[in-house]
Amino acid sequence: MLPDLPPLPALTRAEGELIDRYLEAAVLLGRINPARAGDTYSALRAAQALAATAAALRDALALMHRRGESELHTDTLARALRTLDGVRRSARVGVPPDGT
Protein backbone atom coordinates (compact mmCIF):
# COMPACT_ATOMS: atom_id res chain seq x y z
CA MET A 1 0.00 0.00 0.00
CA LEU A 2 1.28 3.46 -0.87
CA PRO A 3 1.75 6.04 1.87
CA ASP A 4 -0.69 8.92 2.06
CA LEU A 5 1.03 11.77 0.26
CA PRO A 6 -0.27 15.29 0.01
CA PRO A 7 -1.54 16.09 -3.46
CA LEU A 8 0.84 17.79 -5.84
CA PRO A 9 -0.10 21.46 -6.14
CA ALA A 10 -1.35 22.77 -9.45
CA LEU A 11 1.63 23.80 -11.55
CA THR A 12 2.06 25.12 -15.04
CA ARG A 13 3.84 22.73 -17.39
CA ALA A 14 6.95 24.92 -17.20
CA GLU A 15 6.83 24.94 -13.38
CA GLY A 16 6.54 21.16 -13.40
CA GLU A 17 9.51 20.96 -15.72
CA LEU A 18 11.46 23.36 -13.48
CA ILE A 19 10.78 21.18 -10.42
CA ASP A 20 11.66 17.96 -12.26
CA ARG A 21 14.92 19.31 -13.66
CA TYR A 22 15.86 20.94 -10.34
CA LEU A 23 15.46 17.64 -8.51
CA GLU A 24 17.37 15.83 -11.25
CA ALA A 25 20.22 18.33 -10.91
CA ALA A 26 20.21 17.95 -7.11
CA VAL A 27 20.51 14.16 -7.40
CA LEU A 28 23.36 14.52 -9.90
CA LEU A 29 25.16 17.04 -7.68
CA GLY A 30 24.84 14.59 -4.81
CA ARG A 31 26.51 11.91 -6.94
CA ILE A 32 29.33 14.33 -7.79
CA ASN A 33 29.79 15.64 -4.23
CA PRO A 34 33.47 14.89 -3.41
CA ALA A 35 32.59 14.46 0.27
CA ARG A 36 30.16 11.66 -0.60
CA ALA A 37 30.97 10.26 -4.05
CA GLY A 38 32.20 6.68 -4.12
CA ASP A 39 34.33 6.61 -7.25
CA THR A 40 35.52 8.95 -9.97
CA TYR A 41 33.75 7.14 -12.81
CA SER A 42 30.31 7.51 -11.22
CA ALA A 43 31.03 11.16 -10.41
CA LEU A 44 32.23 11.74 -13.98
CA ARG A 45 29.06 10.21 -15.45
CA ALA A 46 26.91 12.35 -13.16
CA ALA A 47 28.87 15.48 -14.13
CA GLN A 48 28.36 14.72 -17.81
CA ALA A 49 24.62 14.27 -17.27
CA LEU A 50 24.48 17.48 -15.23
CA ALA A 51 25.34 19.57 -18.31
CA ALA A 52 22.21 18.36 -20.16
CA THR A 53 20.09 18.72 -17.03
CA ALA A 54 21.30 22.28 -16.48
CA ALA A 55 20.36 23.15 -20.06
CA ALA A 56 16.86 21.69 -19.54
CA LEU A 57 16.54 23.64 -16.28
CA ARG A 58 17.57 26.82 -18.10
CA ASP A 59 15.03 26.11 -20.85
CA ALA A 60 12.20 25.65 -18.33
CA LEU A 61 13.03 28.98 -16.70
CA ALA A 62 13.36 30.70 -20.08
CA LEU A 63 9.94 29.38 -21.11
CA MET A 64 8.41 30.68 -17.90
CA HIS A 65 10.00 34.07 -18.49
CA ARG A 66 8.77 34.23 -22.11
CA ARG A 67 5.24 33.39 -20.96
CA GLY A 68 5.31 36.26 -18.52
CA GLU A 69 5.68 34.07 -15.44
CA SER A 70 8.04 36.56 -13.84
CA GLU A 71 7.63 35.39 -10.25
CA LEU A 72 8.49 32.05 -8.69
CA HIS A 73 5.69 31.10 -6.31
CA THR A 74 8.02 29.75 -3.65
CA ASP A 75 5.39 28.36 -1.26
CA THR A 76 3.74 26.35 -4.04
CA LEU A 77 7.05 25.21 -5.53
CA ALA A 78 8.39 24.25 -2.10
CA ARG A 79 5.25 22.18 -1.50
CA ALA A 80 5.80 20.45 -4.82
CA LEU A 81 9.43 19.73 -3.89
CA ARG A 82 8.38 18.23 -0.56
CA THR A 83 5.64 16.15 -2.22
CA LEU A 84 8.16 14.79 -4.74
CA ASP A 85 10.59 13.77 -1.96
CA GLY A 86 12.90 16.70 -2.60
CA VAL A 87 14.32 16.68 0.92
CA ARG A 88 15.68 13.14 0.55
CA ARG A 89 16.67 13.61 -3.09
CA SER A 90 18.76 16.69 -2.31
CA ALA A 91 20.26 15.47 0.98
CA ARG A 92 23.56 14.34 -0.54
CA VAL A 93 24.38 17.79 -1.96
CA GLY A 94 25.66 19.28 1.31
CA VAL A 95 28.86 18.55 3.19
CA PRO A 96 28.31 15.87 5.83
CA PRO A 97 29.06 16.70 9.46
CA ASP A 98 32.39 15.63 10.94
CA GLY A 99 32.68 11.98 11.83
CA THR A 100 30.19 10.57 9.35
Side-chain angles (χ1 to χ4, degrees), residues 61-72:
L61 286 164
L63 177 60
M64 290 174 69
H65 182 73
R66 282 194 309 274
R67 288 183 175 172
E69 297 177 51
S70 59
E71 182 180 336
L72 293 175

Side-chain angles (χ1 to χ4, degrees), residues 13-29 49-66 72 77 81:
R13 185 172 294 179
E15 285 174 327
E17 187 71 14
L18 168 65
I19 293 294
D20 289 344
R21 298 298 72 83
Y22 176 82
L23 288 173
E24 187 178 345
V27 168
L28 291 169
L29 283 170
L50 184 60
T53 300
L57 182 57
R58 176 206 59 214
D59 293 346
L61 286 164
L63 177 60
M64 290 174 69
H65 182 73
R66 282 194 309 274
L72 293 175
L77 295 173
L81 287 169

Side-chain angles (χ1 to χ4, degrees), residues 21-93:
R21 298 298 72 83
Y22 176 82
L23 288 173
E24 187 178 345
V27 168
L28 291 169
L29 283 170
R31 291 181 187 163
I32 297 165
N33 185 344
R36 297 185 186 267
D39 61 86
T40 56
Y41 184 70
S42 295
L44 172 62
R45 296 283 310 250
Q48 291 168 334
L50 184 60
T53 300
L57 182 57
R58 176 206 59 214
D59 293 346
L61 286 164
L63 177 60
M64 290 174 69
H65 182 73
R66 282 194 309 274
R67 288 183 175 172
E69 297 177 51
S70 59
E71 182 180 336
L72 293 175
H73 301 282
T74 55
D75 290 340
T76 301
L77 295 173
R79 202 167 92 224
L81 287 169
R82 283 189 294 277
T83 301
L84 294 171
D85 204 17
V87 173
R88 180 192 59 81
R89 293 168 71 180
S90 62
R92 292 180 51 95
V93 174

